[in-house]
Amino acid sequence: MTMSKLQTAAEACRPIRDGATLLVGGFGQPGTPHTLLGQVLAQGTGELTLVKNDANEPGLGISRLIEAGRVCRLIASHVGLNPLAVAMSHAGRLQIEVYPQGILAEKIRAGGVGLGGILTDIGLHLENPAASRLVEVGGIQYKIEPALRGDIALIHAERADTMGNLVFTGTASNFNPAMAMAADLVIVEAAEIVAAGALDPDQVHLPGAFVDRVVLIESTGSDYGVLKHHALQA
Amino acid sequence: MTMSKLQTAAEACRPIRDGATLLVGGFGQPGTPHTLLGQVLAQGTGELTLVKNDANEPGLGISRLIEAGRVCRLIASHVGLNPLAVAMSHAGRLQIEVYPQGILAEKIRAGGVGLGGILTDIGLHLENPAASRLVEVGGIQYKIEPALRGDIALIHAERADTMGNLVFTGTASNFNPAMAMAADLVIVEAAEIVAAGALDPDQVHLPGAFVDRVVLIESTGSDYGVLKHHALQA
Amino acid sequence: MHYKHRIAQRAAREIRPGQNINLGIGIPTLIMDYLPEGQQVFVHSENGIWGMGRRAAPGCEQPDLIDAGAAYTTCVAGAACFDTLTSFAIIRGGRIDLTFLGALEVGQNGDLANWIIPGKMTPGIGGGMELAQKSRRVVVLTTHVNKSGAPKILKTCSLPLTAPACVGLIITDLAVIEVTGEGLRLRELAAGVPVDEVVAKTEAQLLVPAGQLPTF
Amino acid sequence: MHYKHRIAQRAAREIRPGQNINLGIGIPTLIMDYLPEGQQVFVHSENGIWGMGRRAAPGCEQPDLIDAGAAYTTCVAGAACFDTLTSFAIIRGGRIDLTFLGALEVGQNGDLANWIIPGKMTPGIGGGMELAQKSRRVVVLTTHVNKSGAPKILKTCSLPLTAPACVGLIITDLAVIEVTGEGLRLRELAAGVPVDEVVAKTEAQLLVPAGQLPTF
């Protein structure tokens, strides 16, 4: 019997329930799991907490879920490219919580690697010493940042094998490896899926031990293409 | 002008002074930087603190420095394959400090990525609550493990380019990537050194931003070969 | 069959298809020879392999591919190699379904002591503490008594613990014993071993079910 | 030449061979056009590139290769791509030699405020706080006054800080000003700009050296 983690998007995303916390890969378009997000939209799941670096841009990625009113809370590092999400936050229809980008990634990693949290001096000048949890190590003050995990991670990879071993490309890696470690159920979409043994063990970016389900991207349409407004004009 | 980080072992290791703390890659033989360690031995450096997963085996790797009396202190996770190091510790001639393997790696990584430390629940049952630094996060007790850095890291890679981008192989990766982030001066030996542009940017395991000096391994003799006593008999 | 192999063979029956497993030093490494044929199991080696295969055949050793005990090993199709950080992320992140470990002592509440022998310098815990504490299930493989003939399965461990209340099942040369909420329950007997002998050689209280017990 | 390009051109002269540099959003991205030819500089982009090249030529965009501002970009020979964890390990680990950032306000002690505008919802700090706090040197590129004509270089910042005492040099459309232990020292003037104008448009105390100042 040969094992395979390959499933359809509908099968893979079935366990995603209202009220879930989803870790969503991507920095802007690259690495955003459009196929899996499309499935979540289609199946009507709501009351979601999303953790993603940014809010994508209007009409794209997680912004579609936000626009459809499916998201109550977004944990991110920068939502500047999505005025729509900013407006919804102003209107009290979306709760946005921001962290410095690398600290958000480290909080998620800590959750994934079984740590309780990290000690950081980033942004310490903004803390209220009375309200914050500060500790001193080696004569330096640090703030305790608790680990952050999700119920489900939605991950985009360039290539996967049927065992769930993943390869990323370019700037599409971003939050994907950290998030693929930090959820109870890890669902991956990949542009290409190969047989076990087709990937060089040295060239796997994230071992399949972390991955539960793998989905083949069937339509690599406009969601995965070049956004003309971010390209130089000819 | 084309930049290159390529140096001879003697040039690269010149800044290693008596009393330095060295982070040394390797889990057993694979990933141990034999060429760089040979240079440290040859140049007579002593009073060293070494951080390495293990103590190698008698006559090999860091054990040569230990046997030559150059090491006062070893921070490791397991020295069971080196009875000589154990005996020297008993005799009070070598101070050995051990941590759980993954926690040692995380302490080093924390030092490398600019964190003050990590919160872990590993081995909490052995702590003296009065003596340890415990904190509660989300209702769970954790211990504060401070970050660990070295003055110099001695790293072994399979392949490097002249910019210091590194590729590891098999089980020779081990502590090397974490340590290559966590020292003020990072010296790498590689079995092969290629021109900038010869490595696929997606297939670099550790970006050259962390690497200061690259040394070509000139003799891949017995140090890098198969140890017969760990092989099955024909 | 040598008792170590009989323990390993019995232990292999605890493995379910698709599980991520880790094999500690000693008897656990022998399980490699009894893995169910044609059933995908992912063997994790804490020095950086997921999908480890059998030991390298003589003459086929790759210098940079060893197991956690330093023996030359191989990869199966679909394997991945990685660094220590990733390897222990798998362990502490709760992705190891089943770990087999040796023991110096096991307490009746599942406490495990397998790293410090009093009066000897400890060589360090290596990856054992994280494996014991964070694997979803820990199965101990051990002789029932130590070299002096004293029981290893105790009411309370006397040695410093590797991890508290972590053991789910104990497989020895004499018996299979389950750690339950009510205490230690005798599940199976080694062929030819009477219940009385197991009870006599176990310091902890044993719950012995009525009727015939299966043998292995 | 537009003032933004003049600032970028002057800023490029701060770069030393072999340095790891990061270019923030806005004027700093223009530096890419003024990098010294034939001199190796490693441009870091916090979304996962070390060795970033110029923006992708029209029609040559790769969908999965963007800069931190979402524009399609390229890699130079010797580049590496990686994830966010590695990217910020480079930043917080102190491996960025030089970062160019924009500013809303700069304090005379080197305080930098560039992320929260009062009364507006902040879109988040992104990677700016870590870059400002951990880069070995921070050079601010900004207009000397804001859109209302009010000075941006102040005795004390009024906005929430991105990072305290992090700025080493300020390059504006009017002048180059160094942050020193003694305070802000006027170093250079934009061509045709009198010292009086710079002093008048700077709220903070300026140390003005005697004699002719270089222009840029």
Side-chain angles (χ1 to χ4, degrees), chain B residues 25 65 73 80 95 98 116 119 125 129-130 145 148-149 157-158 166 171 205 225-226 228:
Chain B
L65 285 169
R73 187 166 168 234
Q95 188 189 337
V98 290
L119 304 183
H125 59 286
E145 271 294 353
L148 177 61
R149 282 183 65 89
E158 175 69 7
L166 306 185
T171 60
H205 289 129
V226 169
K228 285 295 168 200

Side-chain angles (χ1 to χ4, degrees), chain A residues 133 136 169-170 202-203 205, chain B residues 133 136 169-170 202-203 205:
Chain A
R133 299 195 54 188
E136 200 182 291
T169 188
D202 286 341
Q203 298 296 9
H205 289 129
Chain B
R133 300 196 54 190
E136 202 183 289
T169 188
D202 286 342
Q203 297 296 8
H205 289 129

Side-chain angles (χ1 to χ4, degrees), chain B residues 75-189:
Chain B
I75 300 174
S77 92
H78 197 280
V79 298
L81 288 179
N82 195 334
L84 215 141
V86 173
M88 284 181 69
S89 155
H90 276 279
R93 288 163 55 212
L94 174 66
Q95 188 189 337
I96 300 181
E97 188 178 328
V98 290
Y99 291 92
Q101 196 165 111
I103 298 305
L104 179 58
E106 287 292 335
K107 282 169 69 75
I108 296 165
R109 179 185 183 276
V113 307
L115 300 176
I118 55 166
L119 304 183
T120 175
D121 60 349
I122 296 297
L124 211 60
H125 59 286
L126 300 174
E127 298 297 317
N128 173 354
S132 290
R133 300 196 54 190
L134 303 180
V135 293
E136 202 183 289
V137 175
I140 299 170
Q141 285 276 316
Y142 295 97
K143 173 182 164 186
I144 293 177
E145 271 294 353
L148 177 61
R149 282 183 65 89
D151 299 311
I152 293 164
L154 303 182
I155 301 301
H156 173 89
E158 175 69 7
R159 204 155 35 252
D161 69 14
T162 51
M163 306 289 102
N165 290 303
L166 306 185
V167 174
F168 304 103
T169 188
T171 60
S173 181
N174 54 66
F175 277 74
N176 281 298
M179 288 177 166
M181 298 195 291
D184 297 340
L185 180 71
V186 176
I187 309 175
V188 177
E189 60 165 53

Side-chain angles (χ1 to χ4, degrees), chain B residues 27 30-31 77-81 86 89-90 96 98-103 105-106 109 121-123 125-126 158 169-175 177-178 224-227 230-234, chain C residues 46-49 55-58 61-72 81-85 88 92 115 119-121 123-127 129-130 133-134 160-164:
Chain B
F27 180 115
S77 92
H78 197 280
V79 298
L81 288 179
V86 173
S89 155
H90 276 279
I96 300 181
V98 290
Y99 291 92
Q101 196 165 111
I103 298 305
E106 287 292 335
R109 179 185 183 276
D121 60 349
I122 296 297
H125 59 286
L126 300 174
E158 175 69 7
T169 188
T171 60
S173 181
N174 54 66
F175 277 74
Y224 297 98
V226 169
L227 300 176
H230 291 307
L232 287 175
Q233 300 309 308
Chain C
E46 63 264 35
N47 58 321
I49 312 174
R55 287 190 65 178
E61 301 87 0
Q62 292 175 264
D64 283 335
L65 201 62
I66 65 172
D67 67 18
Y72 294 99
C81 292
F82 36 79
D83 72 347
T84 305
L85 292 166
F88 282 83
R92 288 193 317 273
W115 71 301
K120 294 198 181 176
M121 188 261 171
I125 184 60
M129 196 173 280
E130 287 154 281
Q133 196 173 327
K134 294 293 188 177
L161 299 186
T162 305

Side-chain angles (χ1 to χ4, degrees), chain A residues 79 153 184 196 205:
Chain A
V79 297
D184 298 339
H205 289 129

